[in-house]
Amino acid sequence: VSTLTNLAAVRLLLGRADEALENARQALAAEPDNADALLHQATALARLGRHEAARRGFERLLALNERHPAAWPRLAETYKALNRRDDA
């Protein structure tokens, strides 16, 4: 699982969100509550313009770990993309 989440992170850095999404999904199939995989999946969805799915992903991650440092700002960005500025 860590190899898949690391690969997803690298692919996000390279701007290859579609491939990162697939790696994150593979990691989540093996370990559904993996925080890194959830973060990378939601981030990839946001970068692909699938903001509602990204929102659900970030909220799921925060339900598992409300102190996750990267999830809150990315959720706020996603709310803005959804024109939910009051939630951001």
Side-chain angles (χ1 to χ4, degrees), residues 17-77:
D18 54 340
E19 295 173 16
L21 178 59
E22 181 58 30
N23 293 134
R25 285 183 172 161
Q26 290 170 341
L28 289 168
E31 197 174 309
D33 292 336
N34 183 288
D36 290 332
L38 288 167
L39 176 67
H40 299 325
Q41 178 184 44
T43 301
L45 288 165
R47 290 188 184 169
L48 293 168
R50 297 172 56 191
H51 300 293
E52 188 58 37
R55 178 198 59 80
R56 289 190 303 270
F58 290 127
E59 288 178 351
R60 179 166 175 239
L61 172 56
L62 288 165
L64 294 171
N65 179 359
E66 67 182 23
R67 294 180 186 211
H68 194 285
W72 285 110
R74 292 183 190 178
L75 177 60
E77 291 171 9

Side-chain angles (χ1 to χ4, degrees), residues 6-20 23 47:
N6 289 339
L7 190 54
V10 169
R11 287 185 165 157
L12 284 169
L13 289 172
L14 295 173
R16 294 162 53 182
D18 54 340
E19 295 173 16
N23 293 134
R47 290 188 184 169

